[in-house]
Amino acid sequence: MQYRLVESSPGNRRLLLLYAGWAMDSRPFSSLSYPGYDVAVVWDYTDLESPLPISDDYCEICLIAWSYGVYAAAVTLGGFSSRITRRIAVNGTMYPIDGNRGIPENVFDATLNSMDSRNLRKFYRRMFQDKDCFARFWEVSPRRSTDDVVLELKSFGHHVRSGSHTGQDFRWDYAIIGRNDAIMPPGNQRAAWEGVTRVQVTDDAHMVDFQALIDRYLIDKALVANRFSRASCSYSLSATAQSEAARSLWRLHCSRPMASEPFDILEVGSGSGLMTGIISGAYPDSRLLMWDLVDYGVGHGHNMRFVACDAETEIRTLADSSIDMIVSAATIQWFNSPLQFICECSRVLRPGGRLLVSSFGEDNLSELTSITGVALPALSLEDIAMRLPASMVLSASHKETLDCPFDTVTEALTHLRDTGVNALRYSGKSMASVRKVLSCYPLGDDGKFHLYYRPFYMVIEKIQ
């Protein structure tokens, strides 16, 4: 395998790792970038045993695997699993040569046996619907010989058919399927992924706009920290919905009494202290460790300690079975992989311990996101419940809708700013998005402009 950093800045501790498809190199992806992340491309699956020179300095790796790169990533990244958060499969499956779940064997064999320079160009062309998109790709097309890509395809096919490494235990957060994919049959992709992970169907062909995909599915944590830091003075007064959601989560917890009072408590996303006050009031003798990206300057009292950190990676530093209760109110939607975080919580909790978590579903603020087209790639309550580790059980859950009415759209947008909720990237079109919201936001029957938060709450137990 070949590995190349195409974007790197001193001090970056996060890596965006792109596993490309067959017959690729790094050239078509050399312009990819994302704030706070180095970007690396992996290609050439002739030898799937060759090690990758991924630096130990990266505390978080986000993976996007495309086409045959999906299988290649799953069978080669086992040693990096603890550091990989978001994992996205694009127009590929774990069954790359398969009549029902991948590319049919006869198609694979015909491609291999007929490959020459002319047919290789035809293959590249079939990756695109639009000739202009293909023309732009061709300007930065891979510089690989026909003999080289034939050897890669032959070696890859041998590896897959040998069945020696399946990677079937590799977890994926999303499978992106282009309904106009002319390389990997979309129906086969659906058959491979449905019931396994979340499926998103797009209008794409085989080759997608990877920069747009990155902007859509990765969390810009520097931007999140910046927006919440700017909102630190106004948050407590403006976050009425968040305050109500914190109380709802706690009421759900109280409806299911614990066998014993927790002594060691971790609060993830302590923020301005909405939940901190509830926890410390209920358990004044417990030790409370608080984590947040931003230090809001909340008073740290007896048995309380605050650490400014990225909880999604910091959780890995805690010892096994060292915490009695973990509380995370309206935070995990800002993680690249909430599911992996919950798995880490299971490891950290003592037997009989409890995870209290609230977040927001895909329909959160839908009146706004339907206008802007920008939304968090959120998980639903059902998504999380289906994928809890075997050591955890969902003991209670609840959903609700919280209505925040405003006299003007400007007031609604101000509320989002003052609570940090607007910590999303708008791909350089923020002013255009604001103008569109101002002109298109729906007016309610009561003459108000409503923001609808749609939180869900979960009480999850660590099995004895």
Side-chain angles (χ1 to χ4, degrees):
M1 291 185 295
Q2 304 294 319
Y3 172 95
R4 178 173 297 163
L5 280 170
V6 297
E7 176 71 19
S8 179
S9 297
N12 281 348
R13 298 203 61 214
R14 297 185 177 95
L15 175 69
L16 169 58
L17 184 62
L18 173 65
Y19 266 64
W22 168 68
M24 290 291 142
D25 63 15
S26 63
R27 276 171 47 84
F29 314 101
S30 60
S31 64
L32 296 179
S33 65
Y34 200 70
Y37 293 74
D38 286 352
V39 180
V41 179
V42 178
W43 73 97
D44 188 358
Y45 306 127
T46 305
D47 178 12
L48 288 174
E49 305 298 329
S50 55
L52 294 175
I54 298 176
S55 170
D56 291 338
D57 292 338
Y58 296 120
C59 64
E60 179 178 9
I61 301 170
C62 291
L63 169 67
I64 296 177
W66 171 50
S67 192
Y68 278 175
V70 172
Y71 174 89
V75 301
T76 60
L77 287 176
F80 300 96
S81 284
S82 64
R83 287 191 283 160
I84 302 174
T85 54
R86 184 141 291 181
R87 306 167 184 221
I88 303 172
V90 183
N91 285 334
T93 78
M94 295 300 300
Y95 308 92
I97 307 172
D98 188 283
N100 299 313
R101 299 169 294 179
I103 291 178
E105 290 205 26
N106 63 321
V107 175
F108 177 90
D109 291 336
T111 301
L112 180 60
N113 295 331
S114 65
M115 188 52 57
D116 55 24
S117 59
R118 179 171 171 271
N119 284 328
L120 179 59
R121 192 178 192 281
K122 282 185 176 181
F123 171 83
Y124 289 140
R125 177 65 183 89
R126 290 180 66 233
M127 296 193 309
F128 298 87
Q129 278 185 287
D130 184 273
K131 65 179 182 180
D132 292 332
C133 291
F134 171 68
R136 288 192 291 272
F137 165 83
W138 197 245
E139 292 177 359
V140 291
S141 60
R143 290 178 174 170
R144 298 183 62 186
S145 69
T146 305
D147 289 344
D148 189 30
V149 298
V150 166
L151 177 60
E152 179 191 0
L153 193 60
K154 184 180 296 185
S155 300
F156 182 81
H158 176 74
H159 190 282
V160 172
R161 285 164 165 164
S162 71
S164 56
H165 302 283
T166 65
Q168 294 302 321
D169 57 345
F170 195 85
R171 176 189 55 77
W172 295 93
D173 295 308
Y174 293 92
I176 312 298
I177 301 174
R179 61 168 51 92
N180 294 303
D181 190 339
I183 303 295
M184 183 79 70
N188 286 12
Q189 293 184 56
R190 278 184 174 274
W193 290 118
E194 286 186 344
V196 176
T197 192
R198 297 184 74 204
V199 172
Q200 301 280 346
V201 179
T202 70
D203 291 328
D204 291 307
H206 191 64
M207 172 66 92
V208 304
D209 183 338
F210 281 97
Q211 186 62 62
L213 187 146
I214 291 165
D215 292 342
R216 168 72 177 88
Y217 284 95
L218 264 64
I219 300 297
D220 185 344
K221 294 185 178 180
L223 178 61
V224 172
N226 176 265
R227 294 289 169 82
F228 278 99
S229 178
R230 287 168 57 183
S232 60
C233 295
S234 56
Y235 187 91
S236 295
L237 290 175
S238 302
T240 53
Q242 289 81 355
S243 180
E244 177 56 35
R247 291 192 292 270
S248 292
L249 178 61
W250 196 255
R251 284 194 295 269
L252 191 64
H253 160 65
C254 293
S255 72
R256 307 280 296 188
M258 295 184 72
S260 59
E261 186 170 300
F263 183 68
D264 290 295
I265 303 174
L266 168 64
E267 183 185 5
V268 174
S270 54
S272 65
L274 291 176
M275 183 60 85
T276 307
I278 297 174
I279 298 170
S280 59
Y283 303 116
D285 297 324
S286 297
R287 290 188 301 211
L288 178 59
L289 173 60
M290 299 168 290
W291 289 348
D292 201 282
L293 277 175
V294 177
D295 187 350
Y296 278 65
V298 176
H300 308 153
H302 176 64
N303 281 350
M304 299 169 68
R305 182 167 67 93
F306 175 83
V307 178
C309 64
D310 178 357
E312 189 171 12
T313 57
E314 190 71 14
I315 190 78
R316 298 200 301 266
T317 68
L318 296 183
D320 294 358
S321 303
S322 58
I323 301 292
D324 296 304
M325 187 164 78
I326 300 173
V327 184
S328 177
T331 299
I332 64 169
Q333 67 271 14
W334 301 112
F335 290 175
N336 276 314
S337 184
L339 292 174
Q340 181 152 315
F341 174 77
I342 290 173
C343 288
E344 287 292 328
C345 288
S346 178
R347 177 187 63 79
V348 167
L349 284 170
R350 295 181 176 120
R354 175 171 288 186
L355 169 62
L356 312 182
V357 63
S358 68
S359 188
F360 301 93
E362 290 180 302
D363 57 349
N364 190 57
L365 302 177
S366 59
E367 297 76 17
L368 178 66
T369 59
S370 64
I371 299 171
T372 64
V374 179
L376 281 170
L379 292 171
S380 67
L381 188 158
E382 293 78 14
D383 289 327
I384 296 174
M386 268 196 319
R387 294 173 175 83
L388 289 177
S391 56
M392 305 186 91
V393 61
L394 177 64
S395 62
S397 63
H398 176 59
K399 295 181 184 180
E400 65 180 340
T401 297
L402 302 176
D403 179 11
C404 293
F406 299 92
D407 291 329
T408 67
V409 180
T410 301
E411 288 180 8
L413 295 178
T414 300
H415 161 82
L416 295 176
R417 181 198 65 199
D418 289 347
T419 56
V421 177
N422 62 337
L424 291 172
R425 302 187 78 218
Y426 285 83
S427 303
K429 300 177 182 178
S430 58
M431 288 308 299
S433 296
V434 169
R435 286 193 293 269
K436 189 174 181 181
V437 170
L438 289 172
S439 61
C440 298
Y441 203 90
L443 180 66
D445 293 338
D446 58 356
K448 300 283 187 178
F449 296 91
H450 296 259
L451 285 174
Y452 291 103
Y453 289 92
R454 295 176 174 88
F456 62 82
Y457 314 97
M458 308 179 78
V459 176
I460 303 170
E461 308 279 355
K462 172 77 172 286
I463 298 172
Q464 293 277 3

Short mmCIF file of all heavy atoms in Angstrom, two decimals, residues 386-422:
data_model
loop_
_atom_site.label_atom_id
_atom_site.label_comp_id
_atom_site.label_asym_id
_atom_site.label_seq_id
_atom_site.Cartn_x
_atom_site.Cartn_y
_atom_site.Cartn_z
N MET A 386 -29.72 0.28 19.08
CA MET A 386 -29.45 -0.92 18.29
C MET A 386 -27.99 -1.34 18.36
O MET A 386 -27.67 -2.51 18.16
CB MET A 386 -29.82 -0.69 16.82
CG MET A 386 -31.23 -1.09 16.48
SD MET A 386 -31.46 -1.23 14.67
CE MET A 386 -30.57 0.17 14.04
N ARG A 387 -27.11 -0.39 18.64
CA ARG A 387 -25.68 -0.66 18.52
C ARG A 387 -24.94 -0.53 19.85
O ARG A 387 -23.73 -0.31 19.87
CB ARG A 387 -25.06 0.26 17.47
CG ARG A 387 -25.60 -0.04 16.07
CD ARG A 387 -25.14 0.97 15.04
NE ARG A 387 -25.56 0.58 13.70
CZ ARG A 387 -26.76 0.83 13.19
NH1 ARG A 387 -27.66 1.50 13.91
NH2 ARG A 387 -27.07 0.44 11.98
N LEU A 388 -25.66 -0.66 20.96
CA LEU A 388 -24.99 -0.66 22.25
C LEU A 388 -24.09 -1.89 22.38
O LEU A 388 -24.43 -2.96 21.88
CB LEU A 388 -26.02 -0.67 23.39
CG LEU A 388 -26.82 0.60 23.63
CD1 LEU A 388 -27.85 0.38 24.73
CD2 LEU A 388 -25.92 1.77 23.97
N PRO A 389 -22.94 -1.74 23.03
CA PRO A 389 -22.10 -2.92 23.24
C PRO A 389 -22.82 -3.95 24.12
O PRO A 389 -23.74 -3.62 24.87
CB PRO A 389 -20.85 -2.35 23.95
CG PRO A 389 -21.27 -1.03 24.49
CD PRO A 389 -22.34 -0.51 23.59
N ALA A 390 -22.38 -5.20 24.02
CA ALA A 390 -23.04 -6.29 24.74
C ALA A 390 -23.02 -6.09 26.25
O ALA A 390 -23.87 -6.64 26.96
CB ALA A 390 -22.37 -7.61 24.38
N SER A 391 -22.08 -5.29 26.74
CA SER A 391 -21.94 -5.07 28.18
C SER A 391 -22.91 -4.02 28.71
O SER A 391 -22.90 -3.72 29.92
CB SER A 391 -20.51 -4.63 28.51
OG SER A 391 -20.17 -3.48 27.75
N MET A 392 -23.74 -3.42 27.83
CA MET A 392 -24.63 -2.35 28.25
C MET A 392 -26.07 -2.67 27.88
O MET A 392 -26.33 -3.38 26.91
CB MET A 392 -24.22 -1.01 27.63
CG MET A 392 -22.79 -0.61 27.89
SD MET A 392 -22.39 1.05 27.29
CE MET A 392 -22.77 2.04 28.73
N VAL A 393 -27.00 -2.12 28.66
CA VAL A 393 -28.42 -2.30 28.39
C VAL A 393 -29.13 -0.97 28.57
O VAL A 393 -28.82 -0.20 29.49
CB VAL A 393 -29.03 -3.39 29.31
CG1 VAL A 393 -28.92 -3.01 30.79
CG2 VAL A 393 -30.48 -3.66 28.94
N LEU A 394 -30.06 -0.66 27.68
CA LEU A 394 -30.86 0.55 27.78
C LEU A 394 -31.98 0.31 28.78
O LEU A 394 -32.85 -0.54 28.56
CB LEU A 394 -31.43 0.91 26.41
CG LEU A 394 -32.36 2.13 26.35
CD1 LEU A 394 -31.61 3.40 26.72
CD2 LEU A 394 -32.97 2.27 24.95
N SER A 395 -31.97 1.04 29.90
CA SER A 395 -32.98 0.82 30.93
C SER A 395 -34.12 1.83 30.87
O SER A 395 -35.20 1.56 31.39
CB SER A 395 -32.33 0.86 32.32
OG SER A 395 -31.77 2.14 32.58
N ALA A 396 -33.90 2.98 30.25
CA ALA A 396 -34.98 3.97 30.12
C ALA A 396 -34.63 4.93 29.00
O ALA A 396 -33.46 5.22 28.74
CB ALA A 396 -35.19 4.74 31.42
N SER A 397 -35.65 5.43 28.29
CA SER A 397 -35.43 6.39 27.22
C SER A 397 -36.68 7.24 27.04
O SER A 397 -37.78 6.86 27.46
CB SER A 397 -35.06 5.69 25.91
OG SER A 397 -36.13 4.87 25.47
N HIS A 398 -36.49 8.38 26.38
CA HIS A 398 -37.60 9.31 26.20
C HIS A 398 -37.23 10.30 25.11
O HIS A 398 -36.06 10.64 24.92
CB HIS A 398 -37.87 10.06 27.52
CG HIS A 398 -38.93 11.12 27.42
ND1 HIS A 398 -40.22 10.85 27.04
CD2 HIS A 398 -38.87 12.47 27.66
CE1 HIS A 398 -40.92 11.97 27.06
NE2 HIS A 398 -40.13 12.96 27.43
N LYS A 399 -38.24 10.74 24.35
CA LYS A 399 -38.07 11.80 23.35
C LYS A 399 -39.05 12.92 23.65
O LYS A 399 -40.12 12.68 24.22
CB LYS A 399 -38.36 11.28 21.94
CG LYS A 399 -37.44 10.24 21.40
CD LYS A 399 -37.91 9.87 19.98
CE LYS A 399 -37.10 8.76 19.38
NZ LYS A 399 -37.58 8.43 18.01
N GLU A 400 -38.71 14.13 23.25
CA GLU A 400 -39.66 15.23 23.35
C GLU A 400 -39.31 16.32 22.36
O GLU A 400 -38.23 16.31 21.74
CB GLU A 400 -39.72 15.79 24.78
CG GLU A 400 -38.45 16.46 25.26
CD GLU A 400 -38.60 16.99 26.67
OE1 GLU A 400 -39.75 17.19 27.13
OE2 GLU A 400 -37.58 17.22 27.34
N THR A 401 -40.22 17.25 22.20
CA THR A 401 -40.01 18.43 21.37
C THR A 401 -40.10 19.67 22.24
O THR A 401 -41.06 19.83 23.01
CB THR A 401 -41.06 18.52 20.25
OG1 THR A 401 -40.92 17.38 19.39
CG2 THR A 401 -40.86 19.79 19.42
N LEU A 402 -39.09 20.53 22.18
CA LEU A 402 -39.06 21.76 22.94
C LEU A 402 -39.20 22.93 21.99
O LEU A 402 -38.42 23.09 21.05
CB LEU A 402 -37.75 21.87 23.73
CG LEU A 402 -37.45 20.73 24.71
CD1 LEU A 402 -36.08 20.90 25.35
CD2 LEU A 402 -38.54 20.65 25.78
N ASP A 403 -40.21 23.75 22.22
CA ASP A 403 -40.56 24.86 21.33
C ASP A 403 -39.99 26.16 21.87
O ASP A 403 -40.23 26.53 23.02
CB ASP A 403 -42.09 24.95 21.23
CG ASP A 403 -42.56 26.09 20.34
OD1 ASP A 403 -41.72 26.69 19.63
OD2 ASP A 403 -43.78 26.37 20.35
N CYS A 404 -39.22 26.84 21.03
CA CYS A 404 -38.69 28.16 21.38
C CYS A 404 -39.25 29.18 20.38
O CYS A 404 -38.77 29.27 19.25
CB CYS A 404 -37.16 28.17 21.32
SG CYS A 404 -36.36 27.17 22.57
N PRO A 405 -40.28 29.94 20.77
CA PRO A 405 -40.88 30.92 19.85
C PRO A 405 -40.17 32.27 19.93
O PRO A 405 -39.71 32.69 20.99
CB PRO A 405 -42.31 31.02 20.37
CG PRO A 405 -42.21 30.72 21.83
CD PRO A 405 -41.05 29.78 22.01
N PHE A 406 -40.08 32.96 18.80
CA PHE A 406 -39.44 34.26 18.73
C PHE A 406 -40.31 35.20 17.90
O PHE A 406 -41.03 34.77 17.00
CB PHE A 406 -38.05 34.15 18.11
CG PHE A 406 -37.11 33.28 18.88
CD1 PHE A 406 -36.99 31.92 18.59
CD2 PHE A 406 -36.35 33.80 19.92
CE1 PHE A 406 -36.14 31.10 19.30
CE2 PHE A 406 -35.49 32.98 20.65
CZ PHE A 406 -35.39 31.64 20.34
N ASP A 407 -40.21 36.49 18.20
CA ASP A 407 -41.00 37.48 17.48
C ASP A 407 -40.47 37.72 16.07
O ASP A 407 -41.23 38.06 15.16
CB ASP A 407 -41.03 38.81 18.25
CG ASP A 407 -41.83 38.71 19.54
OD1 ASP A 407 -42.80 37.92 19.57
OD2 ASP A 407 -41.47 39.40 20.52
N THR A 408 -39.15 37.56 15.89
CA THR A 408 -38.54 37.77 14.58
C THR A 408 -37.55 36.66 14.29
O THR A 408 -37.06 35.97 15.21
CB THR A 408 -37.79 39.11 14.51
OG1 THR A 408 -36.65 39.06 15.40
CG2 THR A 408 -38.70 40.27 14.92
N VAL A 409 -37.24 36.48 13.01
CA VAL A 409 -36.23 35.49 12.64
C VAL A 409 -34.86 35.91 13.18
O VAL A 409 -34.06 35.07 13.61
CB VAL A 409 -36.16 35.33 11.11
CG1 VAL A 409 -35.11 34.29 10.73
CG2 VAL A 409 -37.51 34.93 10.55
N THR A 410 -34.60 37.21 13.21
CA THR A 410 -33.33 37.70 13.74
C THR A 410 -33.14 37.28 15.18
O THR A 410 -32.03 36.90 15.59
CB THR A 410 -33.26 39.23 13.60
OG1 THR A 410 -33.39 39.59 12.23
CG2 THR A 410 -31.95 39.76 14.15
N GLU A 411 -34.22 37.33 15.97
CA GLU A 411 -34.12 36.89 17.36
C GLU A 411 -33.79 35.40 17.44
O GLU A 411 -33.03 34.97 18.32
CB GLU A 411 -35.43 37.18 18.09
CG GLU A 411 -35.68 38.65 18.37
CD GLU A 411 -36.99 38.87 19.09
OE1 GLU A 411 -37.64 37.88 19.49
OE2 GLU A 411 -37.39 40.04 19.26
N ALA A 412 -34.36 34.61 16.55
CA ALA A 412 -34.07 33.18 16.54
C ALA A 412 -32.59 32.93 16.22
O ALA A 412 -31.93 32.10 16.86
CB ALA A 412 -34.96 32.47 15.53
N LEU A 413 -32.07 33.64 15.24
CA LEU A 413 -30.66 33.48 14.87
C LEU A 413 -29.75 33.97 15.99
O LEU A 413 -28.68 33.40 16.22
CB LEU A 413 -30.37 34.23 13.58
CG LEU A 413 -31.08 33.70 12.32
CD1 LEU A 413 -30.75 34.57 11.11
CD2 LEU A 413 -30.73 32.25 12.06
N THR A 414 -30.15 35.02 16.67
CA THR A 414 -29.38 35.51 17.82
C THR A 414 -29.32 34.46 18.91
O THR A 414 -28.29 34.25 19.56
CB THR A 414 -29.98 36.82 18.35
OG1 THR A 414 -29.96 37.80 17.32
CG2 THR A 414 -29.20 37.33 19.56
N HIS A 415 -30.44 33.80 19.14
CA HIS A 415 -30.48 32.71 20.13
C HIS A 415 -29.47 31.62 19.76
O HIS A 415 -28.74 31.11 20.64
CB HIS A 415 -31.89 32.13 20.19
CG HIS A 415 -31.96 30.77 20.80
ND1 HIS A 415 -31.98 30.57 22.17
CD2 HIS A 415 -32.00 29.54 20.23
CE1 HIS A 415 -32.03 29.27 22.41
NE2 HIS A 415 -32.06 28.62 21.25
N LEU A 416 -29.42 31.24 18.51
CA LEU A 416 -28.47 30.21 18.08
C LEU A 416 -27.03 30.67 18.32
O LEU A 416 -26.18 29.89 18.77
CB LEU A 416 -28.68 29.88 16.60
CG LEU A 416 -30.02 29.25 16.24
CD1 LEU A 416 -30.12 29.06 14.73
CD2 LEU A 416 -30.22 27.91 16.95
N ARG A 417 -26.77 31.93 18.03
CA ARG A 417 -25.42 32.46 18.26
C ARG A 417 -25.08 32.48 19.74
O ARG A 417 -23.97 32.11 20.16
CB ARG A 417 -25.33 33.88 17.69
CG ARG A 417 -23.94 34.54 17.85
CD ARG A 417 -24.04 36.04 17.69
NE ARG A 417 -24.83 36.62 18.77
CZ ARG A 417 -25.39 37.83 18.72
NH1 ARG A 417 -25.28 38.57 17.63
NH2 ARG A 417 -26.08 38.29 19.76
N ASP A 418 -26.03 32.89 20.57
CA ASP A 418 -25.76 33.07 22.01
C ASP A 418 -25.68 31.75 22.76
O ASP A 418 -25.29 31.73 23.93
CB ASP A 418 -26.85 33.95 22.63
CG ASP A 418 -26.74 35.41 22.20
OD1 ASP A 418 -25.70 35.78 21.63
OD2 ASP A 418 -27.70 36.17 22.43
N THR A 419 -26.08 30.65 22.10
CA THR A 419 -25.97 29.34 22.74
C THR A 419 -24.89 28.48 22.09
O THR A 419 -24.65 27.35 22.53
CB THR A 419 -27.31 28.59 22.68
OG1 THR A 419 -27.74 28.50 21.33
CG2 THR A 419 -28.37 29.31 23.51
N GLY A 420 -24.24 28.97 21.03
CA GLY A 420 -23.20 28.21 20.35
C GLY A 420 -23.72 27.14 19.43
O GLY A 420 -22.94 26.38 18.84
N VAL A 421 -25.04 27.06 19.26
CA VAL A 421 -25.64 25.99 18.45
C VAL A 421 -25.29 26.13 16.97
O VAL A 421 -25.42 25.18 16.21
CB VAL A 421 -27.17 25.97 18.68
CG1 VAL A 421 -27.86 24.93 17.81
CG2 VAL A 421 -27.48 25.70 20.14
N ASN A 422 -24.83 27.31 16.58
CA ASN A 422 -24.50 27.53 15.16
C ASN A 422 -23.08 27.11 14.83
O ASN A 422 -22.47 27.64 13.90
CB ASN A 422 -24.69 29.01 14.81
CG ASN A 422 -23.76 29.92 15.62
OD1 ASN A 422 -23.29 29.54 16.70
ND2 ASN A 422 -23.50 31.12 15.12
#
